[in-house]
Structures are given as C-alpha cells and as structure tokens.
Amino acid sequence: MTDAPAAKPDRTLIVLLSVIGALVVIALIVVFTRGEPELRDESTPEGVVQRYAAAVIDGDEAAAMEYLVPELADDCERVDTGPVQDMRVTLVSTTERDDTADVEVLIVITYEGGLFGSSQYEEEGVFDLVRADGSWLIESAPWQFTVCNPTPVRG
C-alpha cells in the first residue's frame, strides 16, 4: 500500500479567509472607537445646547437646569420629557447676534418594534439662547427637551 500525499491547503482560500478576517477586525475597530461626538466649546451657543441636550437625554435634570436662564430655572415646574433614550440631535445651523442666538437642530427619534420593524421620526427644532454675564443660557428649547414649564407672567 502506498500512502496518498497529504493535501496542501489551497493558497487562494487562505488568502481569501485572511482578507475577510482583516475586514472583520477593521469593522469592529471602527464601530468600537467612534465613541461620543467631540464636545464643542462650552462658551459657544452650540456647546451649551450640546451639553444641555446630553444632560436631558441622560436624565440629569439638575445638570440641564444649569444651562437655563435663571428666570426659568428658579421657578421650574418640572415636565416629564418622555422617552429620550433613542434620540439623536444634530446641529443644523447657528445664528449668533450680540446678546442672543438661535441654534437649529435636527431631532431624530427611533422607535423599536412595529409591524415593519423600527421606524424613525425627525423634526427640526430651535433653541433660543441669551448671553448673560458672558455665558450663553437657554431661554427656550424644543418641546422634546423642555424640562421646565414656562411660568406665566404675573401682572
């Protein structure tokens, strides 16, 4: 009896599997290293809105209220913001004047489930800011980010 020569692995298959393995590793690195968006400067209207929105999404109302004008924060009647876990906010534009600014954002909310899987709802919103003592403070926010009911003006 003669022994049959051992089959050598096909080099093409080895190269193909190596390339696929490398692509999987690269994809995993990209997914796990993209992390949080870069924080904008807190001295800018965009930076204040970014930090305020992050605090609301994280459920940290105390931190969020630090970015509100005193008139609103001091007499705050808390509002339930509803589910915000699957909410994403993207900067659209900023209009900055001497003592006021408008920060326009795109708010995207993802809803899981449903007959055809998850769905998204998107809406543009505007944060109105005022400059007080050299800092930007939020005077009004889109309804999805309202943590305090505005108190009526008493005459």
Side-chain angles (χ1 to χ4, degrees), residues 58-128:
D58 291 341
D60 189 352
E61 290 179 4
M65 289 177 53
E66 291 179 18
Y67 296 103
L68 297 176
V69 293
E71 300 81 30
L72 190 55
D74 292 344
D75 297 326
C76 182
E77 283 184 32
R78 301 264 171 131
V79 175
D80 179 20
T81 56
V84 291
Q85 299 87 349
D86 296 319
M87 188 180 301
R88 189 175 71 244
V89 182
T90 306
L91 176 65
V92 174
S93 67
T94 301
T95 304
E96 188 174 333
R97 295 169 286 285
D98 289 336
D99 292 327
T100 62
D102 300 320
V103 178
E104 188 174 346
V105 296
L106 179 65
I107 303 163
V108 179
I109 303 171
T110 303
Y111 299 97
E112 296 299 325
L115 186 58
F116 299 106
S118 64
S119 61
Q120 288 187 341
Y121 168 77
E122 56 182 58
E123 177 180 342
E124 288 192 4
V126 176
F127 287 85
D128 295 318

Side-chain angles (χ1 to χ4, degrees), residues 116-149:
F116 299 106
S118 64
S119 61
Q120 288 187 341
Y121 168 77
E122 56 182 58
E123 177 180 342
E124 288 192 4
V126 176
F127 287 85
D128 295 318
L129 290 87
V130 294
R131 191 187 310 259
D133 298 325
S135 298
W136 289 103
L137 297 172
I138 295 173
E139 191 171 54
S140 69
W143 66 269
Q144 299 92 333
F145 290 94
T146 300
V147 294
C148 293
N149 264 335

